[in-house]
């Protein structure tokens, strides 16, 4: 969240399960509120203390650094669950660790906010009963972590995580099995000089980046911007842009510098094969430089609390529309409207996938490589009584044609695996070569 003025009073979000206690202007407290519990969310409270919270009292909208503002209702008082008998947490004197208490909160959050219960046919009441049998009063934090890890492995949701108080990830599983891991493991068996799979990936990745650079036109220097954007020229006067993540890196400034250069070329390759996620706002800000009229790229809605009945009751759907970047004097003379080939992989997640939705909605775009990760939903952050945190998927994105690509990823027009071990050995990149051929046509 950026710096904001704090509005006063107490507000509860519609959906998302938050209460913002802003009655003390300099000491905001954010609570997680559920059907069976209330506890302070120390992660979000710390953000609010640092950056403030913006609530428009007239429209009752909360700016919480999401793509859309959250709707809130004003409360006369803090609910008794939060004021009189909030759960005792790690910050309280004499706190006693209880695996049962933590697991109850963990599964209540899923029951009340997980947007894909129907899709996965999950009965949260039964799930909670089954997993609570695996802990007792003697269960240690380490043992509880193993239990939660096993559950997240069975759920396989790219935005369902467990992390510690310092935001170190304790458990995470991608939306589906990553086939590249099998390829890297096979390579590892034949190359014992690499001690770990991480060493293997580092070797493959370093070779891959060197191979990419071998395709660049030597007469046009390639360069990196903001340690996030790699730009070069390929044969046939084609632009190449690799985006490492969709976090904020003075994105508009970078695109203002790049778009005039891209407009001088005959096509654009956007390489997203090893990108991280980031902010949907950044993803849409980049796509704004690639259109010349408003474009509906997707729509989204979020789960409303339905308790333990495991029914997905969703909010009203809101359209996601991208508008061309401002035509002010600081903007490039014109957007890039030419051909684009995006190259993706199973490692292309989250905000990168929202960017792909925007590309899909645009003309003159081909997507090649592997289906993307299939992890679209924003990650809803919740606190656990012992100081750990968790996230879960509480939103659903829908493409303009009415499809959801959660868990399956955005499909490609033509398939190319990543990393391609055979390509690495032969010092080539088949996907990039095909992208060049498509843009030459």
């Amino acid at each position: 969240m950026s710096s904001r003025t704090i509005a006063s009073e107490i507000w509860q979000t519609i959906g998302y399960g938050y209460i913002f206690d802003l009655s003390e202007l300099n000491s905001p407290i954010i609570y997680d509120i559920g059907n069976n519990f209330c506890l302070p969310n120390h992660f979000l409270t710390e953000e609010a203390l640092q950056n403030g919270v913006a609530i428009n009292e007239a429209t009752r909208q909360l700016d919480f650094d999401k793509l859309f503002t959250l709707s809130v209702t004003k409360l006369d008082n803090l609910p008794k669950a939060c004021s009189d008998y909030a759960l005792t947490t790690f910050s309280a004197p004499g706190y006693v660790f209880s695996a049962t208490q933590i697991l109850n909160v963990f599964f209540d959050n899923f029951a009340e906010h997980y947007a894909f219960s129907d899709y996965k046919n999950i009965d949260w009441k039964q799930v909670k009963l089954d997993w609570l049998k695996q802990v007792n009063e003697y269960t240690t934090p380490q043992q509880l972590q193993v239990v939660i890890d096993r559950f997240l492995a069975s759920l396989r949701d790219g935005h369902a995580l467990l992390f510690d108080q310092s935001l170190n990830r304790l458990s995470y599983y991608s939306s589906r099995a990553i086939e590249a891991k099998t390829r890297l493991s096979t390579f590892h068996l034949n190359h014992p000089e690499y001690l770990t799979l991480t060493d293997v990936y580092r070797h493959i990745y370093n070779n891959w980046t060197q191979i990419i650079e071998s395709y660049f036109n030597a007469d046009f220097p390639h360069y990196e911007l903001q340690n996030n954007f790699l730009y070069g020229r390929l044969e046939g006067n084609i632009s190449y842009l690799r985006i490492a993540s969709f976090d904020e890196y003075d994105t508009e400034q970078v695109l203002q510098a790049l778009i005039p250069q891209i407009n001088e070329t005959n096509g654009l390759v956007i390489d997203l094969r090893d990108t991280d996620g980031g902010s949907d706002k950044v993803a849409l800000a980049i796509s704004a430089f690639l259109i010349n009229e408003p474009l509906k790229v997707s729509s989204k809605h979020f789960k409303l609390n339905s308790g333990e009945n495991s029914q997905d009751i969703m909010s009203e759907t809101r359209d996601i529309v991208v508008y061309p970047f401002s035509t002010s004097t600081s903007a490039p003379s014109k957007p890039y409207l030419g051909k684009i080939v995006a190259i993706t992989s199973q490692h292309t997640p989250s905000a990168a996938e929202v960017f792909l939705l925007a590309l899909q909605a645009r003309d003159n775009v081909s997507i090649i490589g592997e289906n993307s990760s299939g992890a679209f939903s924003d990650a809803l952050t919740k606190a656990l009584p012992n100081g750990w945190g968790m996230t879960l998927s509480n939103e659903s994105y829908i493409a303009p044609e009415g499809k959801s690509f959660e868990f399956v990823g955005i499909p490609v027009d033509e398939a190319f695996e990543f990393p391609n071990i055979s390509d690495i050995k032969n010092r080539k990149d088949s996907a990039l070569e095909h992208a060049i051929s498509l843009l030459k046509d």
Side-chain angles (χ1 to χ4, degrees):
M1 290 183 282
S2 58
S3 180
R4 300 178 177 122
T5 302
I6 297 177
S8 61
E9 308 301 339
I10 299 169
W11 303 85
Q12 183 167 358
T13 60
I14 296 175
Y16 297 87
Y18 294 132
I19 286 182
F20 287 74
D21 183 355
L22 309 178
S23 52
E24 297 291 333
L25 290 179
N26 296 320
S27 301
I29 301 174
I30 300 176
Y31 292 89
D32 291 330
I33 182 75
N35 294 338
N36 303 313
F37 68 90
C38 180
L39 75 159
N41 186 318
H42 49 289
F43 301 105
L44 300 186
T45 295
E46 181 62 29
E47 286 189 42
L49 286 168
Q50 292 179 1
N51 304 317
V53 179
I55 291 180
N56 185 320
E57 297 200 32
T59 62
R60 306 210 165 188
Q61 295 294 305
L62 163 67
D63 184 358
F64 200 46
D65 212 26
K66 289 183 175 289
L67 192 56
F68 295 124
T69 57
L70 306 186
S71 297
V72 294
T73 57
K74 194 171 186 178
L75 305 180
D76 294 331
N77 300 289
L78 200 63
K80 284 187 173 293
C82 302
S83 59
D84 294 348
Y85 46 89
L87 289 182
T88 302
T89 66
F90 72 103
S91 60
Y95 167 73
V96 177
F97 174 87
S98 168
T100 299
Q101 177 201 55
I102 294 164
L103 212 53
N104 267 299
V105 172
F106 179 85
F107 282 113
D108 282 349
N109 278 318
F110 271 99
E112 296 170 19
H113 300 291
Y114 191 61
F116 302 99
S117 306
D118 291 345
Y119 177 85
K120 288 179 173 281
N121 195 28
I122 299 175
D123 179 345
W124 286 110
K125 185 174 182 179
Q126 187 60 51
V127 167
K128 183 167 77 166
L129 289 173
D130 291 341
W131 286 87
L132 281 171
K133 294 175 184 176
Q134 302 186 38
V135 301
N136 55 43
E137 60 184 308
Y138 303 108
T139 301
T140 66
Q142 293 76 19
Q143 291 168 333
L144 176 61
Q145 182 181 333
V146 171
V147 171
I148 293 177
D149 181 76
R150 287 203 304 266
F151 168 75
L152 293 179
S154 69
L155 184 68
R156 294 208 75 93
D157 185 304
H159 279 134
L161 285 79
L162 177 72
F163 48 91
D164 66 17
Q165 192 175 343
S166 300
L167 301 178
N168 298 309
R169 186 182 292 179
L170 301 177
S171 180
Y172 160 79
Y173 291 88
S174 60
S175 299
R176 62 188 194 278
I178 301 295
E179 295 166 5
K181 188 173 182 179
T182 301
R183 296 195 291 270
L184 293 174
S185 297
T186 301
F187 180 89
H188 193 198
L189 289 174
N190 298 318
H191 293 270
E193 66 269 27
Y194 301 106
L195 297 179
T196 68
L197 207 58
T198 299
D199 295 330
V200 170
Y201 183 80
R202 188 177 295 116
H203 164 76
I204 296 295
Y205 179 83
N206 288 339
N207 276 272
W208 172 66
T209 55
Q210 292 170 17
I211 292 168
I212 290 291
E213 293 180 9
S214 73
Y215 287 89
F216 290 159
N217 185 339
D219 295 330
F220 186 94
H222 62 274
Y223 51 90
E224 194 170 33
L225 294 168
Q226 297 288 323
N227 199 33
N228 189 60
F229 302 90
L230 176 67
Y231 180 75
R233 292 275 178 94
L234 304 165
E235 63 171 289
N237 193 31
I238 292 169
S239 289
Y240 173 91
L241 178 64
R242 185 162 77 235
I243 304 174
S245 85
F246 287 85
D247 291 327
E248 179 55 65
Y249 288 93
D250 294 327
T251 301
E252 291 184 356
Q253 180 181 345
V254 169
L255 269 293
Q256 286 181 51
L258 286 179
I259 290 297
Q261 298 182 54
I262 296 172
N263 271 323
E264 296 174 354
T265 61
N266 300 324
L268 171 61
V269 175
I270 302 179
D271 199 336
L272 303 173
R273 284 176 286 182
D274 196 56
T275 189
D276 291 328
S279 166
D280 291 352
K281 290 182 178 180
V282 171
L284 298 179
I286 295 174
S287 65
F289 286 86
L290 306 174
I291 58 174
N292 63 352
E293 60 184 8
L295 184 66
K296 178 184 173 181
V297 303
S298 182
S299 58
K300 68 185 293 191
H301 51 187
F302 59 87
K303 170 80 173 281
L304 296 169
N305 184 354
S306 58
E308 292 184 339
N309 67 11
S310 299
Q311 187 178 14
D312 290 340
I313 300 174
M314 306 299 290
S315 70
E316 181 181 354
T317 300
R318 298 180 66 176
D319 289 342
I320 301 172
V321 179
V322 181
Y323 296 88
F325 186 71
S326 170
T327 55
S328 66
T329 55
S330 64
S333 57
K334 59 179 181 178
Y336 175 72
L337 303 177
K339 288 184 178 181
I340 295 174
V341 177
I343 315 179
T344 63
S345 80
Q346 290 181 308
H347 298 278
T348 306
S350 194
E353 296 181 284
V354 174
F355 179 63
L356 285 171
L357 285 175
L359 291 181
Q360 268 194 330
R362 178 192 184 276
D363 292 330
N364 294 324
V365 174
S366 298
I367 301 176
I368 67 173
E370 298 174 320
N371 280 25
S372 60
S373 178
F376 287 82
S377 170
D378 291 359
L380 181 69
T381 301
K382 293 293 181 179
L384 295 172
N386 66 330
W388 290 349
M390 60 177 287
T391 61
L392 58 87
S393 299
N394 74 312
E395 299 171 333
S396 176
Y397 284 72
I398 304 166
E401 67 271 23
K403 294 181 180 178
S404 170
F405 297 114
E406 198 82 36
F407 308 114
V408 297
I410 291 181
V412 294
D413 300 313
E414 296 181 75
F416 294 88
E417 66 182 36
F418 178 81
N420 186 313
I421 304 299
S422 176
D423 271 7
I424 297 295
K425 290 179 179 178
N426 293 313
R427 309 300 295 174
K428 64 181 290 189
D429 188 323
S430 298
L432 182 58
E433 290 182 4
H434 187 66
I436 293 170
S437 71
L438 289 173
L439 293 170
K440 280 183 173 180
D441 291 342

